[in-house]
Amino acid sequence: MKSEGLSPIVQTIAGILFPMILIFSFYVIMHGHLTPGGGFQGGAIGASAVVMLIVAFGAKNIEKKIREEKLSAFESIGGVVFIAVALLGLVMASTFMSNFLVGDIIFGKIPPFGSNLGILNSGGILPILNLAVGMKVIGGLSAVVLVMALASKEEKNDI
Amino acid sequence: MIYNVPFLAVVVLIAIGAYALLFKRNLIKIAIGLTILESGVNLFLITLGYREGDVAPIYTNLPSGRGMVLPVPQALTLTSIVIGVAVLALILSLIIRIYRKYGTLDSHEMRRLKE
Amino acid sequence: MRKRIGAVVFLVFFAFLLLSVYDLHEFGAPPSEMDDYIIKNTQNETGANNAVTAVVFDYRGYDTLGEATILFTAVAGVMVLFRKGGENEE
Amino acid sequence: MNDWIVTNAPILIIATPLFAAFLTPLVDRVSKRGRDAMVFVATLITLVIAFILAKNVFDNGLVVYTLGGKSVGLTLPSGYHVPVRIILEVDGMSVFMAMISTLTSFVGLLYSFSYIKGEGSGKYYTLFLMMLVGMLGMEMTGDLFNLFVFLEILSVSSAALIAFYARKGKPLEASIKYIIISSLAALFVLFAIGLLYGEYNLLNMGALAGEISSEATFTFTTQIAFILLFASFVLKAGAAPMHMWLPDAYGEAPGAISMVLVAATQASLYALLRVCFTVYSMAIDASTIGIILISLGLVSIFIGATMALIQINMKRLIGYAAVAEIGYILLAIGVGFFELAKVGGGGVISEYGLKALQGGVFHIFNDVLDIGLLFLVAGAVIYVTKESNLNKLGGLAHSMKYSSIFFIIGMAAVSGLPPLNGFASKILIYESVYKVSPITSIIAILASIFMLAIFVKIFHSVFMGPKLSEFATCKEAPKLMLGSMAVIAVIMIFFGLFPDFVVNNIVNPAVNALMNQAGYIGSVLGGV
């Protein structure tokens, strides 16, 4: 396992940065309906944190901590939440994907028209969908990178 | 029509991508060509939505008296970028597999399908 | 010969694309019936300040479902390609 | 409850397999049997919904569904004149295609249960459901960009499934060819959508058709968008000059996927018909497009039939036969289009023009069934013998009695022999094409006879002759595979015995929906 990963300096700094990047990713996801960003952008940031770990520690070591099936399941949950919220729109209100939470208690505030500072508790189903898509993108992109990194490490005679 | 220069840039990008697809034999270069082509199309969608002097369509801290550019092309571009990422991931995985199998990336050398 | 035919096809294609954007609306002044509605109503219909997010997740949320599906599909595809075992199949 | 299902059927038909596909990896971790059961139930429900929806559309006409709107039928935001949200528009043609897609997927799934084993089977079913979602999404939608999104879902899932046997070289090559060509086509579709959006600021097909309804608004940009859309969808449908990916993809995919891929190709053909008949039908020079379609069809028939002759791989041979079958469809649709131009649109068409359209649309269904059955038999042969080379196979009828019977049924239908379904649609095509151009019709008939000769030859080489020693231990294919083949064969015989019933009840609504452009526009913009 000597050849796996980079120097201890890089590994330590990556370990410190990892939670920060995840927090930033979470911020971008949750403020998707107020500021530039959203589920995909935040998810890509979060996935980049995982990719950083893969580069710093080596794919084999990361795989011991978290298997790609787990990441794939994480992604599946994101997808299930997305479509479940969309189906809830069909059950609770009128149509598939309808924004049934506007005017409700959770995320239901309607901001004043025109320029404003932004209310986090607004947007109806948008923040929930942002979160679902964020989960999907983090899980999906890290799974892809992990699988591809593992595959390029494999011995050639393994074919 | 000097103002249509962004559209011309789009065409040039698409042409570069198409050139790589048509004339290159290396699979990685073909994938890069496809990506450039896709960037061209994405740039096209974005330029379609631009309105002169306007800002991004977000009401949070909107400067007063400014209009907004069209939001739909930006949403379409976002969708198209994610689709591009997904397709590229699949293509690159296929290329890794092919390289493992044949030991070459040249598309002409692996014509084993012609029986 | 093959290359020459390719070059001709390529040039024709290039000219064709140039013509296609030549006739388009002037850059910076697009027609905007659909988008103006979204800009005006995004706040009271969806409660979101960000019109792009409103389009992505509300007005065209179905597309986003589709694109999330594509990402999911691609991940499944990559995992199929690199799965373990499978030597004795077919 | 029943009303609720009928109202929401256009989205439920997509949401059910999609939900199941997202759940598959989770259920797969718990139990393999549970996963199989869930996939089966989801596909069965989709099939049932497709028939409920079809009945509703055949009885009550076009159905619209506004996604995220205040109510299902509210296509335009109140007090506004253009559609903003994504609208699903389901007419007779859409449900016709949806029936094909769900039926083939259901049968293909049954077949897969005994065909696919070992690692990766969980992902196989996920991707399988995604193919179904992609096809249905393309067929239900009324929005151009949405069409592009589902086209990509279909391409990505198909490409991954073509390369399912990733340890071998050929499936990988076929897959990368397929995915590069598909994404190229999809990007040009997207570029064309961008052109249309820049020109009219619309993405809805009905609203766009309303804008492009006259020569005056048919601008140069719009024409180029048409050329791009037309070329891309012809490429995706696998018509002759751009068919090179098709035999590879069909030939290397796992057994059931080859059949579903035929239906997937027809979904692209549907998109082509939608663009020609609905979005552009008022503005384009229909006789020119008709002639282009006829020539594409003839070239496809010619190349498909001749290239099939020299193949030695069983599945690639059937793949070339599929190219020829697509040629028949394009030929018939082209004649219909040509005739539509003569009388000047408006839903009025000469009798044999109508017949050509009926034959073409009917043949879409028959093509999927015929070629699909042949692929299933070929898959069974490969499953049993692990061999697809025609020169090495032989004498299989001794051990595979039922499979050889199904092969005879399939080959008779592909060659257009009565009393099977292939004859029912091909006779309509020959008859109507003869009125426009006798020589074309004769070429089409000759190609059919030629195909019969080819298939008799391969039947002889695969199933006839003495029992070969290397296949001495081979048994008949598993029961589930035979059962799925039997389902297809029974439908084919039914279609062949009662063609009038099928044409009147399924095909005619589809043809009428294709020609009823005003109804399609009106359902979005109101006023009809």
Side-chain angles (χ1 to χ4, degrees):
Chain A
M1 249 341 100
K2 207 165 113 273
S3 60
E4 278 285 307
L6 301 175
S7 74
I9 303 172
V10 179
Q11 294 190 347
T12 314
I13 293 178
I16 296 170
L17 277 180
F18 178 69
M20 294 186 186
I21 298 179
L22 275 192
I23 290 169
F24 181 62
S25 137
F26 189 66
Y27 159 78
V28 171
I29 292 173
M30 284 320 287
H31 281 243
H33 55 300
L34 302 174
T35 55
F40 288 108
Q41 295 89 329
I45 294 170
S48 75
V50 180
V51 172
M52 182 182 72
L53 286 190
I54 292 174
V55 172
F57 290 93
K60 289 242 167 74
N61 292 328
I62 298 293
E63 204 222 2
K64 277 179 211 145
K65 289 265 190 296
I66 181 161
R67 307 255 311 151
E68 68 261 27
E69 278 91 11
K70 284 236 173 74
L71 288 170
S72 174
F74 192 64
E75 191 198 7
S76 272
I77 294 170
V80 169
V81 170
F82 192 116
I83 196 163
V85 170
L87 278 172
L88 266 183
L90 181 61
V91 179
M92 307 278 285
S94 45
T95 52
F96 190 77
M97 295 283 331
S98 69
N99 200 336
F100 61 95
L101 282 175
V102 171
D104 220 319
I105 309 156
I106 321 155
F107 299 120
K109 285 239 169 62
I110 293 170
F113 183 74
S115 176
N116 63 64
L117 289 176
I119 308 161
L120 190 59
N121 190 18
S122 67
I125 59 171
L126 265 59
I128 303 171
L129 293 185
N130 262 326
L131 199 60
V133 169
M135 277 171 77
K136 257 192 87 68
V137 174
I138 291 180
L141 287 186
S142 1
V144 166
V145 175
L146 185 59
V147 170
M148 281 166 81
L150 282 173
S152 46
K153 282 268 159 55
E154 266 173 50
E155 297 300 318
K156 241 194 142 195
N157 56 20
D158 187 46
I159 299 169
Chain B
M1 282 240 255
I2 189 72
Y3 291 113
N4 272 355
V5 167
F7 291 145
L8 299 184
V10 166
V11 171
V12 171
L13 266 180
I14 292 182
I16 293 171
Y19 171 81
L21 278 175
L22 272 176
F23 295 108
K24 293 293 167 191
R25 290 161 53 171
N26 186 316
L27 284 178
I28 294 280
K29 285 183 184 166
I30 290 177
I32 292 173
L34 204 61
T35 317
I36 295 175
L37 184 53
E38 190 199 310
S39 309
V41 177
N42 288 341
L43 182 66
F44 180 57
L45 288 175
I46 280 289
T47 49
L48 280 177
Y50 178 68
R51 263 197 299 218
E52 207 162 355
D54 288 0
V55 295
I58 298 170
Y59 278 103
T60 310
N61 297 325
L62 178 74
S64 60
R66 302 287 290 276
M68 289 178 175
V69 301
L70 312 187
V72 173
Q74 303 202 11
L76 302 189
T77 312
L78 185 59
T79 309
S80 145
I81 287 173
V82 178
I83 292 173
V85 169
V87 172
L88 189 65
L90 194 65
I91 291 181
L92 287 180
S93 310
L94 282 169
I95 291 176
I96 292 177
R97 267 284 177 213
I98 287 177
Y99 185 71
R100 290 275 198 73
K101 188 77 190 170
Y102 295 118
T104 175
L105 287 173
D106 193 324
S107 59
H108 287 210
E109 278 178 32
M110 54 185 80
R111 292 240 168 126
R112 297 209 190 165
L113 276 173
K114 287 205 168 163
E115 286 174 286
Chain C
M1 191 60 200
R2 229 182 108 87
K3 277 212 160 155
R4 227 173 260 175
I5 294 172
V8 170
V9 169
F10 178 70
L11 283 177
V12 168
F13 173 73
F14 186 66
F16 179 76
L17 285 182
L18 271 182
L19 283 174
S20 74
V21 295
Y22 176 76
D23 210 31
L24 209 60
H25 66 76
E26 197 174 317
F27 177 68
S32 59
E33 275 172 317
M34 180 166 77
D35 294 76
D36 285 341
Y37 178 87
I38 291 172
I39 289 175
K40 215 192 302 166
N41 293 291
T42 171
Q43 281 183 313
N44 58 25
E45 279 190 7
T46 68
N49 267 344
N50 185 341
V52 176
T53 307
V55 174
V56 168
F57 287 105
D58 192 311
Y59 292 103
R60 303 190 70 80
Y62 186 53
D63 278 350
T64 308
L65 181 58
E67 93 187 77
T69 309
I70 293 184
L71 196 58
F72 182 77
T73 314
V75 173
V78 171
M79 286 183 161
V80 160
L81 285 178
F82 292 119
R83 71 183 183 277
K84 306 226 162 51
E87 286 88 349
N88 307 322
E89 283 162 0
E90 202 178 32
Chain D
M1 187 63 193
N2 207 5
D3 278 356
W4 187 82
I5 288 179
V6 170
T7 322
N8 293 305
I11 189 67
L12 286 177
I13 195 174
I14 294 161
T16 313
L18 193 54
F19 196 61
F22 282 138
L23 275 179
T24 314
L26 297 175
V27 179
D28 189 44
R29 292 163 68 88
V30 182
S31 141
K32 305 274 181 227
R33 299 203 83 131
R35 175 203 71 204
D36 286 359
M38 187 191 69
V39 174
F40 177 76
V41 169
T43 317
L44 186 64
I45 292 177
T46 314
L47 182 67
V48 171
I49 296 176
F51 279 93
I52 293 174
L53 185 60
K55 186 166 184 340
N56 184 25
V57 170
F58 290 159
D59 289 350
N60 305 324
L62 207 154
V63 171
V64 291
Y65 193 95
T66 315
L67 287 159
K70 287 277 183 299
S71 80
V72 171
L74 193 69
T75 51
L76 309 175
S78 45
Y80 213 65
H81 56 285
V82 292
V84 172
R85 294 178 178 275
I86 297 176
I87 299 167
L88 303 180
E89 289 185 65
V90 187
D91 64 3
M93 190 66 200
S94 309
V95 288
F96 179 77
M97 297 301 297
M99 285 198 287
I100 297 176
S101 309
T102 46
L103 196 67
T104 44
S105 298
F106 183 70
V107 174
L109 187 74
L110 288 182
Y111 189 87
S112 303
F113 280 141
S114 54
Y115 193 88
I116 300 295
K117 292 201 181 69
E119 279 290 317
S121 54
K123 298 287 177 208
Y124 175 90
Y125 291 116
T126 311
L127 292 167
F128 190 90
L129 287 172
M130 287 306 183
M131 273 187 87
L132 177 59
V133 169
M135 285 187 279
L136 288 173
M138 279 177 76
E139 287 151 10
M140 294 293 131
T141 190
D143 190 283
L144 263 184
F145 189 77
N146 202 240
L147 184 72
F148 160 77
V149 171
F150 280 93
L151 185 69
E152 284 279 27
I153 293 181
L154 187 54
S155 310
V156 170
S157 49
S158 314
L161 281 175
I162 292 168
F164 187 73
Y165 295 116
R167 305 266 156 179
K168 297 184 186 166
K170 285 179 193 169
L172 293 172
E173 279 180 49
S175 175
I176 199 157
K177 216 177 198 178
Y178 177 80
I179 185 78
I180 285 177
I181 285 177
S182 294
S183 16
L184 185 67
L187 282 174
F188 282 114
V189 169
L190 184 57
F191 188 75
I193 292 169
L195 287 173
L196 288 174
Y197 177 82
E199 194 77 359
Y200 302 107
N201 199 254
L202 286 171
L203 290 167
N204 185 282
M205 289 199 271
L208 271 173
E211 286 285 327
I212 314 174
S213 55
S214 69
E215 297 279 340
T217 51
F218 192 43
T219 59
F220 189 66
T221 309
T222 321
Q223 291 171 24
I224 287 189
F226 174 73
I227 296 171
L228 284 172
L229 287 172
F230 186 86
S232 310
F233 285 132
V234 166
L235 176 64
K236 280 287 289 172
M242 287 99 107
H243 69 285
M244 57 288 181
W245 59 270
L246 193 142
D248 296 349
Y250 283 13
E252 297 304 329
I257 298 304
S258 297
M259 180 178 73
V260 184
L261 268 176
V262 182
T265 318
Q266 311 297 9
S268 300
L269 194 67
Y270 163 81
L272 178 70
L273 295 184
R274 196 42 98 202
V275 166
C276 288
F277 276 89
T278 302
V279 181
Y280 279 94
S281 97
M282 302 280 266
I284 45 169
D285 182 4
S287 55
T288 316
I289 299 301
I291 288 170
I292 291 175
L293 282 173
I294 291 172
S295 26
L296 282 175
L298 273 180
V299 175
S300 302
I301 292 172
F302 182 74
I303 288 187
T306 48
M307 291 295 285
L309 184 65
I310 57 171
Q311 300 304 317
I312 53 168
N313 180 318
M314 194 171 173
K315 285 182 82 174
R316 274 175 72 84
L317 190 151
I318 303 170
Y320 276 106
V323 174
E325 293 293 293
I326 290 165
Y328 281 103
I329 301 170
L330 286 179
L331 178 65
I333 301 284
V335 169
F337 218 74
F338 190 73
E339 284 304 309
L340 204 61
K342 258 192 201 160
V343 282
V348 191
I349 191 166
S350 62
E351 194 194 339
Y352 56 91
L354 186 69
K355 229 174 210 172
L357 278 180
Q358 281 170 347
V361 172
F362 192 9
H363 203 65
I364 294 178
F365 210 140
N366 291 338
D367 170 30
V368 177
L369 293 173
D370 303 351
I371 300 286
L373 181 62
L374 287 174
F375 272 130
L376 291 187
V377 178
V381 167
I382 292 170
Y383 179 85
V384 169
T385 62
K386 317 269 184 248
E387 180 62 67
S388 61
N389 190 325
L390 290 170
N391 295 339
K392 292 187 187 153
L393 288 165
L396 287 174
H398 294 285
S399 50
M400 302 178 73
K401 291 192 184 60
Y402 295 105
S403 299
S404 48
I405 292 171
F406 290 133
F407 193 87
I408 293 177
I409 294 176
M411 84 181 190
V414 166
S415 334
L417 291 187
L420 285 157
N421 59 344
F423 174 74
S425 53
K426 276 188 177 171
I427 190 77
L428 284 171
I429 296 176
Y430 300 148
E431 235 179 279
S432 52
V433 172
Y434 189 82
K435 290 273 170 46
V436 174
S437 145
I439 189 90
T440 314
S441 186
I442 290 166
I443 292 173
I445 295 172
L446 284 178
S448 263
I449 297 168
F450 197 55
M451 293 243 281
L452 180 64
I454 295 168
F455 275 109
V456 167
K457 188 197 90 182
I458 70 164
F459 178 75
H460 191 265
S461 75
V462 173
F463 291 101
M464 290 300 175
K467 200 166 184 172
L468 295 183
S469 58
E470 55 262 49
F471 305 128
T473 56
C474 289
K475 293 197 186 73
E476 178 61 286
K479 287 209 175 65
L480 212 47
M481 285 191 188
L482 289 177
S484 46
M485 290 181 224
V487 172
I488 298 262
V490 166
I491 298 172
M492 282 165 63
I493 293 170
F494 175 78
F495 277 18
L497 290 179
F498 306 101
D500 288 343
F501 175 80
V502 179
V503 167
N504 287 333
N505 288 301
I506 306 176
V507 176
N508 265 346
V511 172
N512 291 336
L514 268 186
M515 292 193 299
N516 185 6
Q517 192 208 18
Y520 198 87
I521 301 172
S523 68
V524 178
L525 297 178
V528 174

